[in-house]
Amino acid sequence: MDSQKRNIVVTGGAGFIGSHVVRLFVNKYPDYRIINLDKLTYAGNLENLKDIENQPNYTFVKADICDYGAMLDILRDNDVDGIIHLAAESHVDRSIRDPFTFARTNVMGTLTLLQAARTFWESLPEGYEGKRFYHISTDEVYGALDLDGTLFTEQTKYQPHSPYSASKASSDHFVRAFHDTYGMPTIVTNCSNNYGPYQFPEKLIPLFINNIRHRRPLPVYGKGENVRDWLYVVDHARAIDLIFHKGKVAETYNIGGVNEWKNIDIVKLLIKTVDRLLGNPEGFSDNLITFVTDRKGHDLRYAIDSSKLCRELGWQPSLQFDEGIEKTVRWYLDNQEWMDRVTSGEYEKYYEAFYANR
Ligand code: NAD
Ligand code: TYD
């Protein structure tokens, strides 16, 4: 599959994970045409792709995945044969405040894109031959684990708790339904928490790095006992590349870092790393830790069993966490201008309202 020329739409390519996927594909596959389709919501930023924006195999199209006519035109005009679908509303706290936006984008948007792909691909003489609809999902659809060492496998029952995970679960079901009903060649992957450069600073790691730098409080929800399984974003992009090319149609693959951390321990690691890199004395920022009211319905633990992906396709995470965190902290400290620009508008208002409501 990787030897042929391809026209691939990456939705959400201006966001955090999408920008790493676009960068990897543009650099690695000069014969492919990579079309970054993004609405540029508060979370999408073309600055994330400055280094590749002039490459001849890269195009950006501003569009909303909920717009059926636009989706059909983009797929037809570019003779698209592969879709890697990352566009979504992605922040749990926002989903608690505004579930409708999550249903619109994540459920209706995914369904709209599926329906446009179906209309276009079914109109071609070769039909679905050589086509691929790859949907990027999250481990959060599986619900929450106890602190007992169990892991989410591809067989774990869906039990989403937040409006975000409920909307992602619904979109996963629609993708599988399009395979089972119409024969569309789909793949779904469910990945654990990602970290790395270009993540919008509403999520734990970039938010806290920025707050430590500016000596702002670090709002740890509850007691900081919740556990997440962290994967470096470039390793996720590498997995997406492998699965897009070598994954089996109609299969699900879990992707995770085998890297579980309690939130409070991550916060301490971030404080230590930022203080060291800024030349502050040890313990300088410890007093910024502020325990705040817990997130509503806060899932206790996520942890992924990615042995199927490792066994069947030979994927392995490339970075150890201490190395990944060091790189990540350095990147945010070195890219304060990026941070200032992405936090300059809508997010500032959100940030103020967030603290005012606590
Ligand atoms: P993000 O919020 O950083 O980026 C989302 C992108 O989608 C943005 O560029 C935004 O402009 C775009 N977008 C939003 N609504 C759109 C619409 N209606 N039409 C077109 N574009 C739209 O998200 P992310 O963290 O990069 O996550 C990408 C995908 O990966 C999501 O589907 C998410 O559920 C999934 N995922 C994320 C994580 C994680 O830790 N961040 C983990 C597992 C899975
Ligand atoms: P987040 O980065 O929002 O990802 P997710 O909710 O998808 O796992 O949060 C990671 C963990 O950090 C989660 O348990 C919630 C917690 N958290 C805080 O304690 N304080 C914060 O300000 C944020 C944003 C998250």
Side-chain angles (χ1 to χ4, degrees):
M1 205 176 179
D2 40 350
S3 57
Q4 72 186 80
K5 292 197 174 187
R6 304 199 60 123
N7 298 322
I8 299 171
V9 158
V10 179
T11 72
F16 167 47
I17 303 171
S19 63
H20 289 276
V21 172
V22 166
R23 177 175 296 100
L24 189 152
F25 274 68
V26 164
N27 287 330
K28 185 167 171 187
Y29 301 107
D31 289 342
Y32 289 8
R33 284 187 57 237
I34 307 301
I35 301 125
N36 172 10
L37 187 167
D38 200 295
K39 184 184 172 185
L40 298 182
T41 67
Y42 78 95
N45 190 338
L46 288 178
E47 216 180 307
N48 298 357
L49 290 163
K50 269 251 161 286
D51 53 324
I52 56 104
E53 68 184 3
N54 294 322
Q55 300 276 17
N57 61 340
Y58 170 74
T59 318
F60 170 70
V61 188
K62 186 172 187 312
D64 184 340
I65 54 166
C66 298
D67 181 343
Y68 176 77
M71 291 307 104
L72 194 53
D73 285 348
I74 292 165
L75 298 181
R76 274 196 184 128
D77 292 351
N78 294 285
D79 195 18
V80 168
D81 52 19
I83 298 174
I84 305 179
H85 176 40
L86 296 110
E89 291 291 337
S90 67
H91 188 40
V92 174
D93 292 322
R94 283 181 188 254
S95 81
I96 294 168
R97 291 187 307 146
D98 176 18
F100 277 112
T101 302
F102 283 68
R104 178 185 181 275
T105 297
N106 299 357
V107 184
M108 286 307 292
T110 301
L111 178 55
T112 304
L113 187 65
L114 282 163
Q115 185 70 354
R118 179 182 158 227
T119 303
F120 173 50
W121 288 339
E122 287 187 357
S123 74
L124 300 172
E126 76 277 14
Y128 289 121
E129 180 78 39
K131 309 296 186 295
R132 184 145 293 190
F133 189 108
Y134 178 1
H135 176 63
I136 309 299
S137 191
T138 165
D139 59 357
E140 304 193 23
V141 297
Y142 296 125
L145 296 165
D146 287 329
L147 301 172
D148 58 3
T150 50
L151 301 173
F152 295 134
T153 73
E154 288 82 2
Q155 280 72 47
T156 303
K157 183 164 90 118
Y158 273 34
Q159 215 168 357
H161 296 133
S162 71
Y164 165 65
S165 54
S167 68
K168 290 296 291 187
S170 172
S171 64
D172 295 8
H173 291 318
F174 270 109
V175 173
R176 295 192 179 103
F178 267 61
H179 171 268
D180 296 350
T181 308
Y182 307 111
M184 184 180 286
T186 60
I187 294 190
V188 177
T189 56
N190 299 86
C191 188
S192 62
N193 285 62
N194 285 215
Y195 71 98
Y198 301 110
Q199 186 169 32
F200 194 81
E202 62 188 348
K203 308 278 167 58
L204 180 78
I205 289 182
L207 175 69
F208 278 32
I209 294 171
N210 198 36
N211 283 10
I212 298 165
R213 176 178 212 155
H214 293 290
R215 302 207 50 72
R216 292 183 190 141
L218 307 175
V220 177
Y221 299 160
K223 296 191 177 127
E225 297 288 318
N226 303 68
V227 173
R228 298 291 182 265
D229 176 359
W230 294 92
L231 179 68
Y232 192 62
V233 61
V234 175
D235 281 330
H236 189 188
R238 286 175 48 247
I240 290 171
D241 175 22
L242 188 65
I243 294 162
F244 179 79
H245 290 101
K246 306 260 193 274
K248 280 202 214 124
V249 164
E251 289 285 323
T252 297
Y253 298 89
N254 280 354
I255 311 171
V258 199
N259 182 39
E260 291 181 49
W261 282 74
K262 261 192 215 167
N263 290 340
I264 190 65
D265 293 333
I266 296 248
V267 174
K268 289 179 182 162
L269 177 65
L270 290 173
I271 288 177
K272 218 169 137 184
T273 312
V274 175
D275 275 344
R276 175 168 50 76
L277 292 175
L278 290 180
N280 295 329
E282 194 158 338
F284 183 68
S285 300
D286 290 354
N287 64 353
L288 297 178
I289 294 178
T290 310
F291 293 98
V292 298
T293 314
D294 209 352
R295 174 187 275 174
K296 288 186 175 69
H298 197 172
D299 286 336
L300 179 60
R301 174 173 165 260
Y302 304 140
I304 275 275
D305 176 352
S306 49
S307 56
K308 174 178 173 183
L309 175 61
C310 302
R311 193 178 55 248
E312 294 187 8
L313 301 184
W315 175 85
Q316 285 293 337
S318 69
L319 272 193
Q320 293 299 312
F321 193 55
D322 50 353
E323 211 183 327
I325 281 291
E326 177 89 14
K327 268 176 102 132
T328 302
V329 171
R330 274 186 196 278
W331 188 86
Y332 285 102
L333 295 182
D334 290 347
N335 287 276
Q336 188 60 45
E337 284 179 8
W338 177 90
M339 182 67 87
D340 292 343
R341 269 195 290 275
V342 301
T343 56
S344 62
E346 202 266 351
Y347 180 66
E348 274 304 302
K349 281 183 241 140
Y350 162 73
Y351 190 79
E352 280 160 26
F354 185 71
Y355 285 109
N357 290 335
R358 283 201 160 263

